Amino acid sequence: MSILPDETTFADFRKKCLSHDNWSNKYDQNGMQVWVENSSADKGNNVPKVHTIKCKMTIKDVSAATMYDVLHDGSYRKKWDPAMLESYDIARLSANADVGYYSWLCANPIKNRDVVSLRSWQVTEDEYIIINFSVKHPKHPPRSDLVRAISILTGYLIKPLGPNSCTFIYLSQADPKGSLPKWVVNQASKVFAPRVMRCVHKAGQNYPEWKQQNSPDHKPWLYSEQNTLPMMDPSELSIQRADSLENVDESSKVATQDSEDSS
């Protein structure tokens, strides 16, 4: 059975993005909403291992096509993603799938995370979808200086509203591999997620001008013949299960002044 996502995977992701059942709203301001999926572990002080968060933003001044390009363009990501430590594509798996590496800064004093994930995308007349999930790559094992997190299913659903406007949904179902303090989980939905969404929106506003100066015709995510990544057989990858990775207990970490200031 192929590890590559099929139509059902995309359909399930779309359904989760658009559903309202079993979600608690944590943020609702200026055309942006953030929800957290209700979990049986939410009661009391137990923080669930898997964190599922959904953000939706109505964008009135950037087209769906431009937002889609922003998410794909690795060279541009270095310009707008404040949390990124390192990001690179490793190999192509098919015309609409690749495998890549991403590491990011976490709120002090939580250890920084990284992930190796399979990314796949689908474009139809009325929507753009990008999804990813964690995989094991033989040449990219976990590193000692970072905690290897798990994306169970993460992605974006972008729907055009007009020629220059769209609905932008981000959904992440992830295991950060560590017992996180409750303040981190709370900040993720109320502070970090809205901040990242604002960054992405701003990146969309600035992208056309930036792209004009930086290989304007180079878009390998739209034109697969431009893709110079080496091909890799998808069967060399396997799904990265959370239980095969080490857990880090960071539940007693106290917020530093720095992360309190950011709230």
Side-chain angles (χ1 to χ4, degrees), residues 107-110 180-189 192 250 253:
N108 225 339
I110 304 301
L180 293 175
K182 203 135 194 178
W183 65 264
V184 170
V185 178
N186 289 338
Q187 274 206 333
S189 56
F192 301 141
E250 297 177 289
K253 297 276 189 189

Side-chain angles (χ1 to χ4, degrees), residues 151-213:
S151 161
I152 296 162
L153 186 62
T154 297
Y156 301 87
L157 170 67
I158 311 168
K159 285 184 159 290
L161 292 171
N164 225 20
S165 56
C166 61
T167 302
F168 183 97
I169 298 173
Y170 166 74
L171 186 141
S172 173
Q173 190 175 17
D175 182 341
K177 288 317 291 175
S179 311
L180 293 175
K182 203 135 194 178
W183 65 264
V184 170
V185 178
N186 289 338
Q187 274 206 333
S189 56
K190 297 187 174 105
V191 182
F192 301 141
R195 186 189 296 158
V196 171
M197 293 292 271
R198 282 192 290 272
C199 283
V200 177
H201 180 193
K202 194 168 180 191
Q205 291 168 326
N206 297 334
Y207 183 72
E209 193 182 335
W210 178 89
K211 190 62 177 166
Q212 215 41 54
Q213 315 294 321

Side-chain angles (χ1 to χ4, degrees), residues 45 47 49 51 104-114 144-149 175-185 246-256 259:
N45 277 329
V47 176
K49 275 195 172 66
H51 301 262
W104 70 96
L105 288 160
C106 292
N108 225 339
I110 304 301
K111 272 186 89 170
N112 295 335
R113 270 28 187 196
D114 74 350
S144 57
D145 57 330
L146 296 162
V147 176
R148 178 65 49 96
D175 182 341
K177 288 317 291 175
S179 311
L180 293 175
K182 203 135 194 178
W183 65 264
V184 170
V185 178
E246 189 186 349
N247 261 316
V248 185
D249 187 2
E250 297 177 289
S251 55
S252 58
K253 297 276 189 189
V254 178
T256 59
S259 43

